[in-house]
């Protein structure tokens, strides 16, 4: 099976399940016109994110890694319409990416639903933690893969029991099982899996995906109720 076939099937699925996706084709075109790397989630993946936001009833969504905001606008579609305070907070380190994303959020008339913060995700999350912001119900982690384990640790301080965390690019064309890999992104993903697989604070799984973006995967984790040990530590 090839990328060509996977793309053909993605087009078939988009044409059937995602007639509304064409509403945001302009955004992907704007991202390409601005020379952003073509690493936005695919339309079918974007709709999965929207459905997950919807099904978890999330009103506070955090995204790490905005790029041009394609995933961001889709997740915003999953927010409850009757809660004007519901929003997506999205973090982006690259000023050029953030500029394109801001223009896209304006064009999509979603500036009241999306808050873009520019800077390095770890510093921005540490700031959010120090500000004691209300917990996020849903988090999409999609920035540099080297920092996945760090982001997991910080996200745990910004969520609550029951929050759903989704991680992108956790299979990396299968390189995830290459113990000889020297690619810093693969090393980051492998270290991350080691933590996620054994962390009693989370109930997690990961799946492989193919499609127009190639061969990759998502990890999903729900934050567990604090156990007796961590409760007693807090008291
Ligand atoms: N979520 C987007 C794609 C994100 S691509 C979508 O699906 O549409 C990854 C983004 O993470 C890039 O824009 C990159 O600049 C950003 N990024 C990389 N390292 C980062 C960091 N340390 N802090 C914040 N953003 C970072
Ligand atoms: C890369 C990053 C992504 O977020 C993605 O979806 C695909 C590739 C990368 O850095 O290679
Ligand atoms: Mg990604």
């Amino acid at each position: 099976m090839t990328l060509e076939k996977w793309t053909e099937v993605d087009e078939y699925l988009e044409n059937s399940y995602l007639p509304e996706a064409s509403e945001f084709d302009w955004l992907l075109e704007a991202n390409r016109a601005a020379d952003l790397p073509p690493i936005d989630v695919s339309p079918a993946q974007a709709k999965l994110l929207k459905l997950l936001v919807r099904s978890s009833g999330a009103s506070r969504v955090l995204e790490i890694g905005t790029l041009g905001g394609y995933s961001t606008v889709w997740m915003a579609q999953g927010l409850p319409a009757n809660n004007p305070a519901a929003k997506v907070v999205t973090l982006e380190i690259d000023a050029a990416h953030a500029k394109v994303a801001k223009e896209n959020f304006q064009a999509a008339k979603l500036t009241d639903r999306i808050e873009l913060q520019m800077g390095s995700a770890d510093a921005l999350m540490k700031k959010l933690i120090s500000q004691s912001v209300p917990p996020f119900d849903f988090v999409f982690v999609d920035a540099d893969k080297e920092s996945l384990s760090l982001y997991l640790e910080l996200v745990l301080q910004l969520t609550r029991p029951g929050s759903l965390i989704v991680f992108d690019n956790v299979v990396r064309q299968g390189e995830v099982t290459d113990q000889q890999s020297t690619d810093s992104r693969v090393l980051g993903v492998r270290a991350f899996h080691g933590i996620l697989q054994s962390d009693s604070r989370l109930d997690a799984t990961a799946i492989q995906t193919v499609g127009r973006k190639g061969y990759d995967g998502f990890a999903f984790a729900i934050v567990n109720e604090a156990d007796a040990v961590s409760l007693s530590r807090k008291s």
Side-chain angles (χ1 to χ4, degrees), residues 61-77:
V61 174
L62 175 65
E63 175 175 63
I64 304 168
T66 316
L67 190 66
Y70 186 67
S71 51
T72 326
V73 300
W74 271 96
M75 290 193 290
Q77 304 307 304

Side-chain angles (χ1 to χ4, degrees), residues 34-213:
D35 272 331
L36 266 51
I39 53 176
D40 338 65
V41 290
S42 73
Q45 293 172 341
K47 182 152 184 187
L48 172 64
L49 292 172
K50 173 200 158 176
L51 293 177
L52 291 172
V53 169
R54 258 190 85 183
S55 70
S56 58
S59 61
R60 288 182 54 76
V61 174
L62 175 65
E63 175 175 63
I64 304 168
T66 316
L67 190 66
Y70 186 67
S71 51
T72 326
V73 300
W74 271 96
M75 290 193 290
Q77 304 307 304
L79 295 172
N82 59 3
N83 180 353
K87 67 174 174 179
V88 184
V89 175
T90 184
L91 315 180
E92 174 56 53
I93 198 171
D94 187 301
H97 297 181
K99 180 172 179 283
V100 175
K102 278 198 167 159
E103 289 166 3
N104 288 339
F105 300 152
Q106 262 158 20
K109 298 195 167 59
L110 283 170
T111 49
D112 57 334
R113 292 249 148 188
I114 299 172
E115 175 186 332
L116 187 150
Q117 297 190 8
M118 221 190 80
S120 82
D122 66 327
L124 291 170
M125 280 194 278
K126 283 172 187 161
K127 192 168 170 205
L128 289 168
I129 293 164
S130 73
Q131 292 169 333
S132 300
V133 297
F136 291 95
D137 311 300
F138 183 96
V139 183
F140 181 46
V141 182
D142 191 19
D144 54 311
K145 313 309 163 192
E146 289 82 354
S147 307
L148 266 171
S149 304
L150 171 63
Y151 296 152
L152 174 58
E153 212 44 61
L154 293 170
V155 165
L156 276 164
Q157 296 174 59
L158 287 165
T159 47
R160 54 164 175 81
S163 295
L164 174 59
I165 314 168
V166 179
F167 303 86
D168 194 19
N169 313 116
V170 302
V171 171
R172 302 211 62 95
Q173 303 182 67
E175 287 176 64
V176 65
T177 56
D178 180 0
Q179 298 182 22
Q180 314 305 323
S181 179
T182 53
D183 183 324
S184 62
R185 293 163 300 184
V186 175
L187 292 170
V189 171
R190 284 177 57 80
F192 159 79
H193 280 297
I195 293 170
L196 187 63
Q197 287 158 1
S198 59
D199 196 322
S200 62
R201 295 171 299 177
L202 296 153
D203 196 4
T205 191
I207 61 159
Q208 308 182 59
T209 59
V210 295
R212 58 164 73 247
K213 298 287 165 171

